[in-house]
Amino acid sequence: MNGKTDLRVLRTRQSIRMAFYELIEEKGYEAITIQDIADRAMINRNTFYLHHQNKPDLLDTCMDELLSELKNAVVLCPFNMSPFHISTLETVMQTVLEHISRNTTFYYAMLIEENRIYQFRAKMENIIKDKLNEGWILAQGNSPLALSKELLLEYLVSSFMGIVMWWIKNDLPLPAGEAASQFSRIVAYGHLKAAGIAVGE
């Protein structure tokens, strides 16, 4: 009996979240009401309040759970900047894109929509930055960088997020592995060389 009850609870929570994701994409977070969510999820308002205190609580829960899943996946990727291997950055990017492909509606609403949630992007950037920084922490005994590590990290994270947002916005135009491979080659060789463009002095 408890198993059936738990399954019903899980299904209700999933219905609430899917309704929430769809409504954010359709009308933006600020315009959504609890009644909108309840109607879309085909539950009553009282049922909503059994699971969430209010709309901000639902948003926080959705963001925290999804970003926690992302972080857990990224943490498992081996990463070392000394020596740098293209495959390491490629693995991180592919892991992120594959995670996004399973939750596209939510990521689109959080990152692309006009009424996107800026705190979500900031939290996601921190996950990526921590992972990239991990490579330098492992290589602390090596020679100092020829430029500011902070500037380089900022550049890499901005580029990483730019590719992620382009990929989502354009309906996943390349397979995750191919997008990850091209991004890692751009980072390793520079965008002109990676594109096969001859460069003169």
Side-chain angles (χ1 to χ4, degrees):
M1 187 69 178
N2 285 340
K4 291 182 180 178
T5 302
D6 290 344
L7 189 56
R8 282 199 297 269
V9 168
L10 290 173
R11 283 174 176 163
T12 300
R13 287 178 180 167
Q14 183 65 18
S15 295
I16 290 171
R17 284 169 200 169
M18 286 310 300
F20 186 49
Y21 298 168
E22 291 169 4
L23 287 164
I24 289 176
E25 190 172 354
E26 289 173 19
K27 56 198 296 187
Y29 172 75
E30 295 299 333
I32 299 171
T33 66
I34 299 300
Q35 191 62 57
D36 289 334
I37 298 168
D39 290 344
R40 180 66 63 92
M42 293 187 289
I43 59 173
N44 59 49
R45 287 171 61 93
N46 289 339
T47 301
F48 175 90
Y49 287 117
L50 288 174
H51 297 277
H52 300 283
Q53 297 175 14
N54 48 37
K55 192 172 68 168
D57 177 57
L58 172 58
L59 176 64
D60 287 343
T61 299
C62 290
M63 288 198 303
D64 290 347
E65 288 189 356
L66 209 57
L67 289 173
S68 178
E69 288 177 18
L70 177 64
K71 185 174 183 177
N72 290 340
V74 167
V75 161
L76 296 176
C77 300
F79 197 78
N80 194 334
M81 292 298 290
S82 182
F84 174 78
H85 293 285
I86 292 176
S87 60
T88 58
L89 185 58
E90 185 175 330
T91 299
V92 175
M93 173 63 89
Q94 184 169 347
T95 298
V96 170
L97 295 183
E98 287 175 348
H99 172 78
I100 289 171
S101 70
R102 296 189 292 272
N103 304 277
T104 309
T105 301
F106 187 79
Y107 276 97
Y108 192 95
M110 292 292 103
L111 294 172
I112 309 299
E113 282 295 315
E114 183 179 347
N115 295 307
R116 56 195 173 274
I117 309 297
Y118 289 100
Q119 68 203 71
F120 182 85
R121 174 167 178 167
K123 289 181 178 182
M124 186 172 172
E125 285 178 347
N126 284 335
I127 291 172
I128 304 305
K129 183 176 287 187
D130 287 346
K131 186 62 187 180
L132 299 183
N133 190 44
E134 178 185 301
W136 278 292
I137 291 173
L138 291 172
Q140 276 182 336
N142 293 304
S143 302
L145 294 171
L147 47 79
S148 165
K149 187 179 95 171
E150 288 71 25
L151 186 151
L152 182 55
L153 268 175
E154 199 64 37
Y155 171 80
L156 288 173
V157 172
S158 297
S159 301
F160 195 107
M161 289 300 296
I163 297 299
V164 164
M165 293 174 70
W166 167 83
W167 197 68
I168 298 169
K169 190 174 184 178
N170 290 281
D171 298 323
L172 324 188
L174 295 173
E178 180 59 27
S181 174
Q182 291 191 28
F183 172 68
S184 58
R185 292 203 303 271
I186 289 170
V187 170
Y189 303 124
H191 55 282
L192 296 178
K193 185 176 180 181
I197 297 171
V199 180
E201 291 296 330

